[in-house]
Amino acid sequence: MPDFRDYKTVQRWLEEPPGRGFQPVREDPAAKCEILEKFCAHIGVDPDTLIATTTDLVPTGSVERNKQLKALKQWVRAQELPDSQATKWENHIRGFFIKNGVKVLVRPYGDVYRRSPGERAARGLA
């Protein structure tokens, strides 16, 4: 198995982009690589395969992206991290997806938007 940083998608994630665009991973790249490596081991694929099978350009029309993003949420939840740390880990992996051209849509504030009108009113959110 090659060094984890030898994967093209990991190199793209860590590199300084020319011109405008996403910033390189500057905040503790070793820790971020370790998190990504653990996630890849959990789902059983290397980073290059992960990106190759989750882009919108996959002709099979499968929903691999959604499957992998759900797996990410489940994996982070299973780590039993404090909320701020769990969010940070998810964002690291999402950043990897985004930097490699995968669209990542996130619905914020699920506890607010997914409640029934009665529940929102009871909490003073209506």
Side-chain angles (χ1 to χ4, degrees):
M1 178 171 176
D3 179 46
F4 197 72
R5 289 180 179 228
D6 289 341
Y7 289 104
K8 287 186 180 194
T9 55
V10 174
Q11 290 173 3
R12 187 177 305 125
W13 182 43
L14 298 174
E15 75 186 0
E16 181 82 41
R20 293 177 50 166
F22 290 101
Q23 294 298 312
V25 174
R26 290 190 181 124
E27 179 187 307
D28 200 356
K32 289 184 178 186
C33 280
E34 184 179 333
I35 293 165
L36 177 61
E37 190 169 8
K38 287 178 182 179
F39 176 65
C40 287
H42 170 73
I43 59 174
V45 298
D46 64 77
D48 290 351
T49 302
L50 175 61
I51 294 302
T53 59
T54 56
T55 65
D56 292 335
L57 304 175
V58 177
T60 63
S62 66
V63 291
E64 280 297 309
R65 175 182 60 196
N66 294 342
K67 178 180 151 188
Q68 301 301 9
L69 291 171
K70 285 178 184 177
L72 170 62
K73 290 197 87 49
Q74 292 168 349
W75 176 72
V76 169
R77 198 174 311 126
Q79 304 306 306
E80 298 181 3
L81 301 165
D83 287 344
S84 62
Q85 189 71 19
T87 299
K88 197 176 235 185
W89 279 34
E90 281 187 49
N91 287 341
H92 293 333
I93 306 301
R94 283 190 199 110
F96 170 75
F97 281 121
I98 291 167
K99 185 93 179 257
N100 282 286
V102 176
K103 292 179 185 176
V104 176
L105 304 174
V106 179
R107 292 185 187 142
Y109 313 111
D111 60 327
V112 174
Y113 292 115
R114 292 196 182 116
R115 294 194 183 278
S116 70
E119 287 177 294
R120 286 196 302 267
R123 298 184 88 204
L125 301 172

